[in-house]
Amino acid sequence: MKEGIKEFSLYIPGALFVMLGILVVFFPMLLVGLFSAGLILIGITAISVAHQVRRRHRNSHWTVAWEQVEPFVEGWQHRVFVRRRW
């Protein structure tokens, strides 16, 4: 039984597109809604991708944390490398 459902599931996307096409034939105003929904999804995707690119670009440089060897000695010569973060 599971194999039958698994094989039938391959036809579901095609069947949905055929039914959607029939609905657009009977109700042409659906085409406008589907087109605008597609544009909205493309816009949301573009904003999401831009946010990910900006976040990766902003955090791409190394952040180096330094720690003093002795608390009473000042100067960069006495610092120890603690960690490097991307």
Side-chain angles (χ1 to χ4, degrees):
M1 183 70 180
K2 287 186 178 181
E3 290 181 13
I5 292 173
K6 196 173 192 180
E7 290 176 4
F8 179 72
S9 67
L10 297 174
Y11 294 107
I12 290 176
L16 287 175
F17 279 117
V18 168
M19 286 189 280
L20 188 61
I22 292 171
L23 279 175
V24 168
V25 167
F26 288 120
F27 304 104
M29 65 203 120
L30 285 176
L31 186 61
V32 174
L34 290 172
F35 183 73
S36 61
L39 289 177
I40 290 170
L41 286 175
I42 290 171
I44 290 172
T45 303
I47 290 172
S48 175
V49 168
H51 177 69
Q52 295 294 330
V53 168
R54 180 175 175 246
R55 190 174 67 173
R56 286 182 191 245
H57 179 37
R58 185 176 58 215
N59 293 334
S60 66
H61 62 282
W62 290 354
T63 303
V64 178
W66 296 95
E67 189 174 290
Q68 298 288 340
V69 175
E70 298 177 24
F72 302 110
V73 178
E74 300 266 338
W76 63 272
Q77 301 94 346
H78 303 289
R79 293 182 179 178
V80 176
F81 179 76
V82 178
R83 71 183 184 325
R84 180 179 4 184
R85 185 185 66 178
W86 289 95

